[in-house]
Amino acid sequence: MGPPSSSGFYVSRVVALLLAGLAAVLLLALAVLAALYGHCARVPPSELHDRGGPHAASSPPGRQEPARTPKPGPTLETVAAPTPRNWRPPGPWDQLRLPPWLVPLHYELELWPRLRPEELSAPALRFTGRVNITVRCIAATARLLLHSLFLDCESAEVRGPLFPDAGDATVGRVLVDEVWFALDMQYMVLELGEALQPGSRYELQLSFSGPVYQDTREGLFLNLYTDQGERRALLASQMEPTFARNVFPCFDEPALKATFNITVIHHPSYVALSNMPKLGQSEKEDVNGSKWTVTTFHTTPHMPTYLAAFAICDYEHVSRTERGKEIRIWARKEAIAAGNADFALNITGPIFSFLEDLFNISYPLPKTDIIALPTFDNRAMENWGLLMFDESLLLLQPNDKLTEKKTVISYIVSHEIGHQWFGNLVTMNWWNNIWLNEGFASYFEFGVINDFNPKLPRNEIFFSNILHGVLREDHALVSRAVSMKVENFTETNEINELFDLFTYNKGASLARMLSSFLNEKIFISALKSYLETFSYSNAEQDDLWRHFQMAIDDQSKILLPATVKSIMDSWTHQSGFPVITLNVSTGVMKQEPFYLGKVKNQTLLTHNDTWIVPILWIKNGTTQSLVWLDKSSKVFPEMQVSDSDHDWVILNLNMTGYYRVNYDKFGWKKLNQQLEKDPKAIPVIHRLQLVDDAFSLSKNSYIEIETALDLTKYLAEEDEIIVWHAVLVNLVTRDLVSDVNSHDIYPLLKKYLLKRLISIWNTYSTIIRENVATLQDDYLALISLEKLFGTACWLGLEDCLQLSRDLFRNWMNHPENEIPYPIKNVILCYGIALGNDKEWDFLLNIYNNKTKEEERIQLAYAMSCSKDPWILNRYMEYAITTSPSTFNETNIIEAVAASEVGRYVAKDFLINNWQAVSERYGTQSLVTLLYVIGRTISTDLQILELQQFCSNMLEEHQRLTVQAKLQTIKNENLKNKERSARIAAWLQKNT
């Protein structure tokens, strides 16, 4: 007990004991109440508590969580013991969305990464920072939530209220009782001594530190690379979708736009870049006397946190001016000197100008920097004023002429520039409508490039790059809708998963369909109105539909069966797409959802909604008027077809509709007759469509496989390589290749296909031999040649095999004579398959001297093409005995097992070396190998044999997993056997 009070008040021992007991009870009660309300201690702001739940995130990858010691600061009275570390009461920190208590207005952000050129090998690079966030209070609150992840908060203060008339001067400070983190939803929570008042403005002042990431491209990350023979480093940022919170505490939601004043402190030998032009530079000295450069930047427009961007680099740049605004491309010094950035620079300005003119809205920033990062996971990011690209998607090398690289760069640069309007200027309200950003940017990347290159086959390229892939993956009940309800999201990682095929490809396809059933003029007019209305703001999907509806209501030519919202919601709010079936004898058209593997009794599967489907169509080669299928079935007498030789109908003009088309037997028969009679009467895009739709529908039991095969009879007259590509991709599948030994299909297929393929083969083999340079601007040929050449060699076409030998040997003898890139995989593989150890050893030597991962993977797989068991066995020995860095790009054993000869060699090798394989590639690699080796099984006896084979290699849970997977493989193979038998019977009949 402490000293008596100065008043001389006397307390007896009994009373004292009673009071002491009462005090203890009161303290216990306070502790319980504190636990219930989550306000457990008044501690210095730096003495932080993690109140993550049982699923709270751990330390960021690559570093240990540092011990948290109190930092110097005001000492606050502790009123209760802290609650257990992993417990917290329910509260707003359990919700994915921020509570609507505060609105950010402005960020003053300073970052200081400790990157020095002489310390590139430092194991754990970190940064410090300060941010002052001006906010407006919307609802009275004594608790502030903002986003923060893996940041250590050094101090936290709240000043205000601010008085705008007095230059935001403050007359007070709001006491911060406590700072803690709710890691599940990635919040920093500030507990205040008093409530903020609605309508008032305040400034949150936060100091923090955090890790620079090295193994992932999220938040602030490090790239190590070589330039001009020297090891170098750069820092860059990636904030989208939810990684700004890894760099600074912020209100990390797309609707919470604010302005930013950004300052970057960096080593004097580096250049700092950000969204805006440089405002000024000064010098700063750290506690050790080292000098640093302080670079400040002009204030940004209102923008979301995910667009804030920084880079610190030792790069050079090239520049040009477009309409008075500077454009700079930054890259490694040797790449700039070699002119690798010139192509991107020359197309960037015209793309900006095209989109400015198209939307009649000027690009609002005074400059654009584009930086080529050595490692950015093969992606690009549209940060306002500082676009970032993986250098493989931006820089054009001299040896890229015979690749699709130039076209790919054009499309990706167009996509990211398109975001300056769709995403940066107008941003979706929340991530559930990210397709408004990505879908329209993907759509316009094709519009821009097609305008610059009118000779490009725009429909065929859109099909190949966008439509084909997403139709293959999208189907009822399993895939997701493009636009999802916000309440469907419960975790942050679900936001990251939205950046998928459906957001990009399906979004672009729906934008294209919308444009097709309106017209280009109305489509662009509505988008102009939408962009003008919501500039520097946010929009919902319904806002976009409203502006399209306004454009429709302002004219009388285009009549729709329902509102734009009703039409488009039927496509964006449900998964999958319809199959449209037309009976050409009756004119009856119906729709049904597309299922993977349709069954006769589909009642167990529920997909209640229908689509409002625009039907653009052609009859006998002539475009017809738009009609609508707005119910499950409808009759269109004008679509009936007679027995006339020249009467045929094709639905889905130019494949602008997001659906597949089926016909009754007579309809398919008429189309087949037309193809055999005069295939050129049917446009290329529709020959492509017929093949792709028919094979997909047959694979999933909507039509017979024979119907699809009938469409290939005319192929001797087909001179478009993209159509051939569609046929070969659908017919010469991996399953079919693997199943050759079990059926008589190979000789039949060889005879059938080679007879038809010889004409297109002669065309392109002649080009390869005589003037391969003519292919450099033929994008469709560049993406299709590998499948054509690979099939011709697989079918044993002697000219293909001889060409492979010649090109490979010519390269061996004269390494400057590179194998043409579009067919390099094929030539390398068959050069090894047709050669001996001399060719194999040559390729191994080339492999050992290559540094680019892509090239090493290509060569590693080519070496697995040998048909000599002893060479393959030696290859696998190398793989498990040499240094891990020698064959570190791929699992060599899997590569060997994937070939017909290699499957048996790998199986035998595994019996004797499974422990070494497991140590080298991990236990999971054994599981994968078993799937590869067992890919052709079709009986329970074969499964049993494989189970016995692997019994000593795997743990019990792995054996159960393998058994289930092998059973699935067996069932799939049985289905494929039946299909292959029908194909063989059809070939027998038609060969």
Side-chain angles (χ1 to χ4, degrees):
M1 196 174 70
S5 66
S6 58
S7 66
F9 184 77
Y10 177 78
V11 180
S12 73
R13 181 182 297 272
V14 174
V15 174
L17 288 172
L18 287 172
L19 289 173
L22 180 61
V25 172
L26 287 172
L27 282 172
L28 180 62
L30 283 172
V32 172
L33 287 171
L36 287 172
Y37 287 97
H39 191 158
C40 51
R42 303 182 74 197
V43 296
S46 55
E47 196 169 76
L48 307 175
H49 299 299
D50 158 23
R51 295 191 187 166
H55 305 293
S58 60
S59 303
R63 75 176 181 98
Q64 295 295 316
E65 185 73 359
R68 291 179 174 172
T69 56
K71 309 293 190 299
T75 303
L76 300 175
E77 180 188 1
T78 300
V79 298
T83 55
R85 182 175 177 81
N86 287 329
W87 186 89
R88 66 173 186 234
W93 43 82
D94 296 314
Q95 304 303 313
L96 184 61
R97 300 292 301 274
L98 280 165
W101 303 334
L102 301 178
V103 174
L105 304 175
H106 179 71
Y107 292 82
E108 290 281 342
L109 175 62
E110 176 188 283
L111 292 176
W112 187 356
R114 300 311 199 271
L115 177 66
R116 296 177 174 89
E118 67 273 14
E119 296 180 3
L120 300 185
S121 58
L125 185 64
R126 292 182 65 79
F127 65 90
T128 57
R130 297 184 299 175
V131 65
N132 296 344
I133 312 173
T134 304
V135 299
R136 178 183 294 114
C137 181
I138 304 300
T141 177
R143 176 180 286 141
L144 309 185
L145 271 70
L146 63 164
H147 289 104
S148 177
L149 184 63
F150 301 139
L151 297 176
D152 295 325
C153 183
E154 315 296 342
S155 66
E157 295 185 10
V158 177
R159 296 187 179 273
L162 307 181
F163 295 95
D165 295 339
D168 276 349
T170 64
V171 294
R173 175 187 300 179
V174 180
L175 187 65
V176 178
D177 284 353
E178 182 188 5
V179 180
W180 58 276
F181 293 92
L183 286 178
D184 277 2
M185 294 302 168
Q186 305 176 357
Y187 290 132
M188 171 191 286
V189 183
L190 277 63
E191 304 282 4
L192 306 182
E194 61 183 275
L196 305 188
Q197 297 307 307
S200 295
R201 299 201 303 169
Y202 298 84
E203 186 175 75
L204 316 183
Q205 299 183 344
L206 305 165
S207 296
F208 54 91
S209 63
V212 172
Y213 297 93
Q214 298 190 36
D215 299 325
T216 182
R217 261 53 66 187
E218 298 172 357
L220 193 61
F221 62 89
L222 179 73
N223 264 195
L224 295 173
Y225 64 99
T226 301
D227 190 9
Q228 298 177 326
E230 294 182 6
R231 194 71 170 154
R232 302 189 186 183
L234 64 76
L235 292 180
S237 63
Q238 170 62 22
M239 309 299 201
E240 189 183 33
T242 59
F243 306 128
R245 65 194 66 175
N246 295 50
V247 181
F248 60 102
C250 57
F251 296 87
D252 200 10
E253 291 190 2
L256 298 177
K257 291 187 172 184
T259 53
F260 290 75
N261 281 349
I262 292 171
T263 298
V264 177
I265 303 174
H266 56 95
H267 192 275
S269 65
Y270 291 123
V271 173
L273 303 172
S274 188
N275 304 85
M276 298 298 288
K278 181 174 67 177
L279 176 63
Q281 274 189 336
S282 60
E283 193 176 83
K284 178 185 180 74
E285 197 171 282
D286 65 19
V287 293
N288 298 316
S290 299
K291 289 183 168 47
W292 296 81
T293 299
V294 180
T295 301
T296 57
F297 298 91
H298 284 272
T299 306
T300 70
H302 276 87
M303 66 182 197
T305 49
Y306 81 81
L307 290 178
F310 331 95
I312 299 174
C313 61
D314 181 16
Y315 267 9
E316 295 287 357
H317 71 272
V318 288
S319 64
R320 63 174 282 173
T321 299
E322 184 79 11
R323 295 183 175 177
K325 296 181 178 182
E326 187 177 30
I327 296 168
R328 299 184 296 185
I329 309 281
W330 297 80
R332 290 175 295 107
K333 294 175 180 180
E334 61 189 20
I336 293 294
N340 299 158
D342 294 350
F343 176 72
L345 180 68
N346 291 333
I347 64 173
T348 297
I351 293 171
F352 268 108
S353 295
F354 175 86
L355 290 172
E356 284 184 329
D357 294 340
L358 184 67
F359 300 127
N360 197 29
I361 298 174
S362 295
Y363 174 67
L365 272 65
K367 64 90 178 178
T368 297
D369 284 312
I370 302 178
I371 185 168
L373 303 179
T375 306
F376 198 40
D377 298 337
N378 290 312
R379 58 181 173 174
M381 179 61 201
E382 68 269 16
N383 309 304
W384 229 352
L386 179 54
L387 288 72
M388 297 188 183
F389 286 70
D390 190 300
E391 67 177 19
S392 66
L393 303 178
L394 188 69
L395 304 181
L396 193 66
Q397 311 282 351
N399 58 358
D400 285 333
K401 289 181 179 178
L402 277 179
T403 73
E404 63 274 24
K405 191 81 166 284
K406 184 187 287 189
T407 306
V408 169
I409 290 172
S410 300
Y411 282 130
I412 294 176
V413 171
S414 297
H415 179 100
E416 303 308 328
I417 294 175
H419 273 308
Q420 309 307 301
W421 286 265
F422 293 97
N424 298 8
L425 186 65
V426 179
T427 310
M428 73 280 145
N429 202 48
W430 202 66
W431 299 107
N432 61 314
N433 277 318
I434 182 61
W435 86 272
L436 296 177
N437 285 21
E438 299 298 349
F440 279 87
S442 297
Y443 171 74
F444 277 106
E445 73 183 64
F446 289 89
V448 171
I449 299 306
N450 288 329
D451 188 80
F452 291 166
N453 303 279
K455 291 184 179 179
L456 279 176
R458 60 189 303 167
N459 293 317
E460 291 80 3
I461 290 179
F462 190 91
F463 169 82
S464 300
N465 286 14
I466 298 289
L467 191 57
H468 172 71
V470 72
L471 286 178
R472 190 176 53 201
E473 299 297 327
D474 196 12
H475 46 92
L477 300 180
V478 178
S479 56
R480 68 168 182 85
V482 164
S483 178
M484 302 171 69
K485 294 179 180 178
V486 175
E487 52 267 30
N488 290 349
F489 295 83
T490 58
E491 297 180 3
T492 305
N493 63 356
E494 293 171 339
I495 298 171
N496 302 329
E497 293 166 2
L498 290 173
F499 292 80
D500 61 9
L501 202 65
F502 304 111
T503 288
Y504 288 79
N505 294 30
K506 187 171 183 177
S509 300
L510 295 183
R512 180 169 176 254
M513 182 172 70
L514 177 60
S515 174
S516 72
F517 71 72
L518 301 175
N519 59 47
E520 191 72 8
K521 183 179 178 181
I522 293 175
F523 183 72
I524 296 300
S525 172
L527 288 177
K528 282 181 182 179
S529 173
Y530 165 76
L531 291 171
E532 288 169 0
T533 301
F534 295 100
S535 289
Y536 306 104
S537 186
N538 297 78
E540 301 274 7
Q541 177 176 280
D542 283 355
D543 296 319
L544 179 63
W545 301 154
R546 187 167 63 253
H547 282 265
F548 273 104
Q549 192 62 50
M550 287 161 53
I552 288 292
D553 293 343
D554 283 345
Q555 55 83 57
S556 57
K557 186 176 180 181
I558 304 291
L559 300 176
L560 301 179
T563 64
V564 173
K565 173 177 167 55
S566 296
I567 294 170
M568 295 307 296
D569 279 358
S570 76
W571 296 90
T572 62
H573 285 322
Q574 61 179 328
S575 62
F577 60 86
V579 175
I580 307 301
T581 301
L582 174 66
N583 186 314
V584 299
S585 299
T586 63
V588 173
M589 186 189 300
K590 67 174 184 177
Q591 61 167 290
E592 59 183 315
F594 176 79
Y595 296 102
L596 283 184
K598 179 187 177 186
V599 294
K600 289 183 180 178
N601 183 4
Q602 205 85 49
T603 55
L604 294 177
L605 302 174
T606 57
H607 193 284
N608 298 323
D609 296 326
T610 56
W611 291 263
I612 303 178
V613 187
I615 308 289
L616 287 161
W617 58 295
I618 53 177
K619 187 170 187 178
N620 308 330
T622 303
T623 302
Q624 307 294 310
S625 298
L626 169 70
V627 298
W628 290 87
L629 182 61
D630 53 1
K631 53 183 74 171
S632 58
S633 66
K634 211 169 180 178
V635 179
F636 297 96
E638 64 272 31
M639 293 186 182
Q640 290 176 288
V641 167
S642 68
D643 287 331
S644 165
D645 288 346
H646 301 286
D647 216 7
W648 51 272
V649 166
I650 290 179
L651 306 186
N652 198 7
L653 178 66
N654 293 327
M655 295 190 78
T656 53
Y658 188 70
Y659 49 85
R660 291 200 183 275
V661 181
N662 188 16
Y663 304 92
D664 65 325
K665 288 185 178 180
F666 185 54
W668 284 115
K669 179 182 177 183
K670 296 294 291 181
L671 291 167
N672 186 41
Q673 288 174 348
Q674 182 59 45
L675 285 172
E676 294 194 58
K677 186 185 308 174
D678 181 14
K680 295 297 177 69
I682 297 177
V684 177
I685 185 61
H686 290 296
R687 305 203 298 273
L688 191 58
Q689 174 200 11
L690 290 173
V691 167
D692 198 64
D693 279 354
F695 275 99
S696 176
L697 293 171
S698 70
K699 184 178 180 180
N700 293 288
S701 305
Y702 285 83
I703 62 174
E704 307 295 338
I705 179 60
E706 292 81 1
T707 302
L709 292 168
D710 283 342
L711 295 174
T712 68
K713 291 178 180 178
Y714 86 99
L715 282 174
E717 305 302 318
E718 182 56 76
D719 57 4
E720 293 289 343
I721 192 169
I722 189 63
V723 179
W724 266 103
H725 184 262
V727 171
L728 298 178
V729 163
N730 281 290
L731 192 53
V732 185
T733 63
R734 178 185 292 271
D735 292 333
L736 187 64
V737 172
S738 296
D739 222 15
V740 162
N741 292 335
S742 305
H743 289 278
D744 296 329
I745 191 172
Y746 178 78
L748 297 169
L749 192 62
K750 176 177 179 177
K751 186 175 182 181
Y752 180 81
L753 279 180
L754 286 184
K755 178 181 178 182
R756 289 160 175 80
L757 183 138
I758 196 66
S759 177
I760 191 99
W761 165 260
N762 286 338
T763 298
Y764 283 98
S765 62
T766 301
I767 292 173
I768 292 291
R769 286 185 166 104
E770 297 179 1
N771 191 11
V772 69
T774 59
L775 292 175
Q776 61 183 317
D777 293 320
D778 189 345
Y779 178 74
L780 293 179
L782 293 175
I783 64 174
S784 303
L785 273 171
E786 182 176 311
K787 186 64 179 178
L788 176 67
F789 272 64
T791 301
C793 284
W794 177 70
L795 292 172
L797 180 63
E798 183 52 42
D799 191 44
C800 182
L801 300 176
Q802 189 58 49
L803 182 58
S804 297
R805 291 189 195 96
D806 293 344
L807 289 173
F808 192 94
R809 287 172 182 167
N810 187 36
W811 177 53
M812 279 183 68
N813 298 328
H814 307 282
E816 70 276 8
N817 294 337
E818 283 280 352
I819 299 170
Y821 181 86
I823 57 171
K824 190 169 184 176
N825 285 331
V826 177
I827 302 305
L828 289 176
C829 186
Y830 279 92
I832 293 297
L834 299 168
N836 52 38
D837 58 331
K838 179 183 177 182
E839 286 79 7
W840 198 94
D841 290 342
F842 168 79
L843 212 58
L844 178 63
N845 184 55
I846 295 290
Y847 174 91
N848 287 330
N849 288 292
K850 291 289 185 182
T851 57
K852 288 187 177 179
E853 183 180 6
E854 180 184 357
E855 293 178 329
R856 286 170 63 87
I857 290 173
Q858 185 181 51
L859 295 170
Y861 275 101
M863 286 187 282
S864 72
C865 292
S866 175
K867 295 187 181 301
D868 290 331
W870 74 270
I871 291 179
L872 294 176
N873 204 70
R874 185 182 68 170
Y875 189 22
M876 291 185 287
E877 288 279 1
Y878 283 166
I880 63 171
T881 58
T882 57
S883 163
S885 62
T886 306
F887 295 106
N888 63 340
E889 287 83 13
T890 187
N891 187 322
I892 299 303
I893 320 299
E894 285 181 28
V896 169
S899 72
E900 283 306 299
V901 174
R903 180 170 24 149
Y904 303 104
V905 180
K907 185 177 177 182
D908 291 340
F909 183 84
L910 203 55
I911 292 173
N912 300 315
N913 299 278
W914 66 268
Q915 286 179 315
V917 172
S918 179
E919 289 172 9
R920 181 60 179 268
Y921 296 112
T923 310
Q924 184 57 38
S925 68
L926 298 176
V927 175
T928 306
L929 268 169
L930 290 170
Y931 300 157
V932 176
I933 291 169
R935 65 185 180 273
T936 61
I937 59 173
S938 57
T939 68
D940 289 331
L941 186 60
Q942 289 171 318
I943 292 179
L944 183 61
E945 180 191 340
L946 269 178
Q947 285 178 303
Q948 292 171 343
F949 167 71
C950 70
S951 59
N952 294 329
M953 304 179 191
L954 303 178
E955 301 290 338
E956 177 63 23
H957 71 279
Q958 290 177 316
R959 287 198 289 271
L960 293 173
T961 302
V962 167
Q963 181 181 1
K965 177 68 175 179
L966 291 176
Q967 193 67 43
T968 302
I969 292 174
K970 183 199 83 171
N971 294 336
E972 283 295 316
N973 286 340
L974 287 174
K975 280 201 306 184
N976 290 334
K977 272 180 179 282
E978 181 184 343
R979 181 180 170 88
S980 294
R982 292 180 65 174
I983 293 173
W986 185 92
L987 289 170
Q988 184 76 54
K989 183 179 177 182
N990 288 277
T991 300

